[in-house]
């Protein structure tokens, strides 16, 4: 047990106090954003943007340039959702209606998944260049060699992007993808040494299950 605690705390011995505080703030805003999603409140997007931008800074400062680029991708999707929700607000100017995704939207979701996985694996292909401050003299070290973690990273990110896309389109199904992604990210973040972030995904998982149940209830009430 002590060895496990030492393992998960070891990375924080090299982190600055500022980075630990920022990771905690980003985690808090991430949790708040999921709460606002559950409430169907447009404040989900500004809180998501704050969380994502902090993680972009942290991943960049930790030299995790692949994760940095992926979070830029997340932030872009958050701005996309913010624009869509703003167009579809109810009379109270805070909340939106929710619906089930159509077969056509699932087809687009599959395309988004494939594109996202290819995009992320492309980023990882250029990892030697990215990790050396974008020095193109390392191009000879770029190879089509991926670890199992790379494929898990790419797939999980794609799953979350589908969740963000469906959330932007006010689809109940978004929660299913968040739940799947959260279940993968909890152990993955511990493996990567980001325990605070891992704890965030535990809270995300609980809120996602609650959100799925609540959005289904809201949709049923609206249908009658």
């Amino acid at each position: 047990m002590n060895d496990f605690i030492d393992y998960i705390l070891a990375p924080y011995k090299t982190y600055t106090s500022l980075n630990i505080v920022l990771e905690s703030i980003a985690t808090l805003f991430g949790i708040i954003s999921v709460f606002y999603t559950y409430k169907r409140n447009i404040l989900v997007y500004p809180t998501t943007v704050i969380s994502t931008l902090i993680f972009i800074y942290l991943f960049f400062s930790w030299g995790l340039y692949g994760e940095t680029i992926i979070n830029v991708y997340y932030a872009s999707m958050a701005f996309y959702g913010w624009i869509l929700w703003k167009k579809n607000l109810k009379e109270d100017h805070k909340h939106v209606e929710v619906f089930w995704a159509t077969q056509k939207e699932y087809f687009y979701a599959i395309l988004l998944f494939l594109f996202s996985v290819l995009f992320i694996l492309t980023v990882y292909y250029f990892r030697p260049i990215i990790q050396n401050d974008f020095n193109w003299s390392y191009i000879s070290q770029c190879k089509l060699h991926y670890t199992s973690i790379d494929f898990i990273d790419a797939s999980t990110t794609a799953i979350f992007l589908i969740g963000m896309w469906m959330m932007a389109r006010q689809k109940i199904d978004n929660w299913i993808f968040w739940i799947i992604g959260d279940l993968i990210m909890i152990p993955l973040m511990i493996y990567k040494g980001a325990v605070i972030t891992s704890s965030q995904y535990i809270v995300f998982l609980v809120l996602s299950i609650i959100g799925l149940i609540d959005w289904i209830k809201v949709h049923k009430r609206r249908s009658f």
Side-chain angles (χ1 to χ4, degrees), residues 40-46 78-97 167-170:
R40 297 172 292 113
N41 191 310
I42 197 170
L43 288 176
V44 56
Y45 289 109
F79 280 111
Y80 166 73
W82 199 346
I83 293 169
L84 284 190
W85 277 38
K86 193 171 182 180
K87 289 180 179 178
N88 296 302
L89 288 175
K90 295 168 67 176
E91 293 79 7
D92 61 6
H93 302 292
K94 290 182 180 180
H95 302 89
V96 293
E97 297 287 358
M167 183 178 78
R169 298 183 67 82
Q170 303 154 233

Side-chain angles (χ1 to χ4, degrees), residues 13 37 46 82 91 94 121 123 135 152 171-172 223:
K13 295 178 182 178
T37 309
W82 199 346
E91 293 79 7
K94 290 182 180 180
L121 291 180
V123 170
N135 186 337
I152 293 171
K171 304 302 178 180
I172 300 168
S223 299

Side-chain angles (χ1 to χ4, degrees), residues 34 179 182 200-212:
V34 177
I179 289 169
D182 292 339
Q200 168 187 252
Y201 285 104
I202 295 174
V203 178
F204 282 176
L205 177 61
V206 174
L207 288 176
S208 295
I209 294 171
I210 295 172
L212 176 61

